């Protein structure tokens, strides 16, 4: 099998992310992912999901008219849903789209690092972990988000892992398969258990599980604090994702 390029990994990771949002939306009232010309906009108008998943991924390297049409379509779909706060995701290399957003008054809010890897390159041995029952509510508690988040979603569609440390549940993460790719999301460790390598071990275990399920690549979006952790496992830097918010 031909080794994936960085372009392949970025495209695969984006496709997996959008598929995961669509899975979330299927179990959330009024939610949908709208695939419009040049943009895919996740619209979550209700519940705790409203504060988390209203994000739009803009295509790269569009022509000027296509960029304008994509931004117009994005703004319209959120306006119709009554959502004033959302994030437009742009790859850092897309300077033209960044400039168009800034001309419309959007400001940079957050950044993450797109990362991906071929699972053929996974060299870190499978760690030995003290695993707890993969209970959805406990998973949400450990990653410190509202415990009714995605309450109506099909939780069996996701691969959730919760790890114990010093007698209690201390770290958790989720994986989602789409095609040949596995997306790793929401890797979190409670404060008292940080700096003990649980995040690295948990991510590595999910990668081994994904390879066992027949996946060939893995993808994630890393915070600046976690970039080195993922790079040490074998993830490649695919560029920053810039999150712009409307004025």
């Amino acid at each position: 099998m031909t080794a994936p390029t960085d372009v392949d990994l970025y495209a695969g990771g984006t496709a997996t992310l959008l598929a995961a949002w669509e899975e979330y939306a299927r179990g959330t009232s009024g939610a949908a992912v709208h695939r419009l010309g040049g943009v895919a906009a996740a619209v979550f108008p209700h519940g705790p999901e409203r504060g988390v998943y209203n994000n739009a991924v803009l295509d790269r390297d569009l022509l000027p008219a296509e960029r304008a049409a994509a931004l117009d379509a994005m703004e319209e779909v959120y306006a119709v849903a009554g959502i004033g706060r959302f994030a437009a995701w742009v790859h850092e290399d897309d300077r033209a789209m960044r400039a168009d957003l800034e001309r419309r008054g959007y400001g940079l809010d957050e950044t993450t690092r797109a990362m991906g890897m071929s699972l053929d390159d996974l060299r870190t041995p499978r760690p030995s972990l003290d695993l707890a029952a993969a209970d959805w509510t406990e998973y949400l508690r450990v990653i410190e988000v509202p415990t009714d988040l995605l309450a109506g979603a099909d939780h069996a569609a996701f691969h959730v892992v919760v790890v114990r440390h010093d007698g209690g549940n201390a770290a958790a993460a989720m994986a989602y398969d789409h095609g040949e790719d596995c997306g790793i999301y929401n890797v979190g460790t409670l404060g008292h258990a940080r700096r003990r390598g649980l995040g690295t071990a948990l991510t590595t275990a999910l990668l081994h599980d994904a390879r066992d399920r027949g996946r060939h690549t893995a993808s994630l979006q890393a915070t600046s604090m976690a970039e080195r952790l993922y790079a040490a496992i074998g993830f490649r830097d695919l560029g920053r994702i810039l999150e712009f918010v409307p004025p």
Side-chain angles (χ1 to χ4, degrees), residues 1-15:
M1 182 177 178
T2 304
T5 66
D6 286 359
V7 172
D8 296 332
L9 290 171
Y10 184 82
T14 300

Side-chain angles (χ1 to χ4, degrees), residues 24 52-53 135-150 155 158-163 169-175 184-194 198-199 202-203 206 223 230:
Y24 303 158
V52 179
Y53 296 118
D135 176 79
W136 183 262
T137 301
E138 183 63 4
Y139 154 69
L140 295 178
R141 185 192 71 80
V142 172
I143 64 171
E144 300 181 296
V145 299
T147 54
D148 58 344
L149 186 74
L150 301 175
H155 302 153
F158 310 106
H159 304 278
V160 171
V161 178
V162 180
V163 177
N169 295 341
M174 182 186 79
I184 307 294
Y185 305 121
N186 303 330
V187 180
T189 304
L190 292 176
H192 72 277
R194 290 174 185 157
L198 291 180
L202 183 54
T203 303
L206 287 172
T223 63
Y230 296 128

